[in-house]
Amino acid sequence: GDSVTQMEGPVTLSEEAFLTINCTYTATGYPSLFWYVQYPGEGLQLLLKATKADDKGSNKGFEATYRKETTSFHLEKGSVQVSDSAVYFCARWMDSSYKLIFGSGTRLLVRP
Amino acid sequence: EAGVTQFPSHSVIEKGQTVTLRCDPISGHDNLYWYRRVMGKEIKFLLHFVKESKQDESGMPNNRFLAERTGGTYSTLKVQPAELEDSGVYFCASSPGGTGANVLTFGAGSRLTVL
C-alpha cells in the first residue's frame, strides 16, 4: 500500500554541519509531499511542502525537492543550529482519502 | 488567529478507566482529524470529520474509541475502557475546505499514559 519511509534516528550533528534526512514514498500518481517538525514540548508544525514533481519546498533554511524518478523528498539544510533540534516527519497526502500519511519521524540533535 | 487547541495536555489513568480528549480546531475549518503516535513510531491516522460528519474512521483501533464533533465545532475522543496499548500522544489537526484542505494545522497533542 501507500507508505512513507524515512531514515531512523537519532541523528546527532555538530552546529553548522550539513543535514540530510532521507524520505521516500510509495504511491500511484504524484501526491503532495510535506515535512512537519515537532520541537520539544510543542505540536507539529508544517515546515515545507511540494505539490508536484521537481518542486522545491523551502523554509527556515531547510529545503526538499520532489523527485519523482526516485520517489524521494529528502530534507536538507546547509548549516544546522542547536535550535533545529526536533523530530522531523515526512508525509504525503492521499488524494483518494483526504488524509496525510506520515513516516516514523527522525529525531535530530544538534550539539553546540 | 488562534491555533488548534487540545486538552488535557497530559492524562494519566489506570487501565479500565475512561478518558476524554478534546480538540478545538481553527474557527471555520471544516476538516478535523485525529492522529496518534505510539511509542515513538509513525503518526497514524485515526479519523476525519467534515463538519459534524465522520468522513473516514478507518483508523480507529476498535470500538473502545468514540469520536464526536458536536455541531461541527470542537471534537472529543473518548477511550472507554482504556488499555495499556492506548498510551501515546493523540494529535488533532484541522484544515479549511477547498484548495487548502491538504495543509493541516496540528495541535500540541494530548499525551495519554495508561498504567
Side-chain angles (χ1 to χ4, degrees), chain A residues 1-108:
Chain A
D2 296 321
S3 64
V4 176
T5 302
Q6 57 182 110
M7 61 189 291
E8 289 190 21
V11 174
T12 303
L13 296 174
S14 297
E15 206 165 21
E16 300 183 1
F18 184 86
L19 168 72
T20 299
I21 299 178
N22 290 339
C23 171
T24 57
Y25 63 93
T26 59
T28 53
Y30 304 105
S32 294
L33 301 173
F34 302 81
W35 277 99
Y36 278 82
V37 57
Q38 185 180 22
Y39 298 103
E42 299 183 17
L44 287 165
Q45 300 175 24
L46 177 64
L47 181 59
L48 53 83
K49 69 173 184 175
T51 57
K52 60 183 186 296
D54 299 325
D55 264 3
K56 178 184 283 188
S58 61
N59 186 25
K60 298 182 180 180
F62 290 89
E63 292 184 339
T65 302
Y66 193 140
R67 304 280 189 201
K68 66 176 181 179
E69 303 85 4
T70 53
T71 61
S72 65
F73 193 54
H74 304 324
L75 182 68
E76 298 181 334
K77 186 173 186 182
S79 176
V80 293
Q81 305 300 312
V82 172
S83 57
D84 293 326
S85 298
V87 182
Y88 293 81
F89 294 91
C90 185
R92 57 149 293 180
W93 181 252
M94 297 279 291
D95 284 323
S96 59
S97 54
Y98 291 92
K99 62 191 176 191
L100 279 176
I101 301 297
F102 285 90
S104 56
T106 302
R107 180 175 297 279
L108 170 66

Side-chain angles (χ1 to χ4, degrees), chain B residues 66-83:
Chain B
L66 175 64
E68 295 179 323
R69 190 180 182 191
T70 306
T73 55
Y74 71 92
S75 175
T76 57
L77 179 64
K78 179 189 287 188
V79 185
Q80 179 182 30
E83 298 290 343

Side-chain angles (χ1 to χ4, degrees), chain B residues 25-92:
Chain B
I26 291 174
S27 178
H29 279 193
D30 289 342
N31 296 294
L32 187 149
Y33 296 82
W34 283 99
Y35 283 82
R36 178 175 73 170
R37 189 178 192 216
V38 174
M39 290 288 289
K41 297 186 178 179
E42 73 266 31
I43 300 171
K44 284 197 169 180
F45 168 83
L46 295 179
L47 87 160
H48 170 208
F49 284 99
V50 177
K51 297 183 180 178
E52 68 275 9
S53 300
K54 291 178 185 174
Q55 183 75 15
D56 179 356
E57 52 184 332
S58 61
M60 295 288 263
N62 50 60
N63 60 10
R64 296 185 292 103
F65 288 74
L66 175 64
E68 295 179 323
R69 190 180 182 191
T70 306
T73 55
Y74 71 92
S75 175
T76 57
L77 179 64
K78 179 189 287 188
V79 185
Q80 179 182 30
E83 298 290 343
L84 299 179
E85 63 264 25
D86 300 333
S87 295
V89 181
Y90 291 77
F91 291 102
C92 176

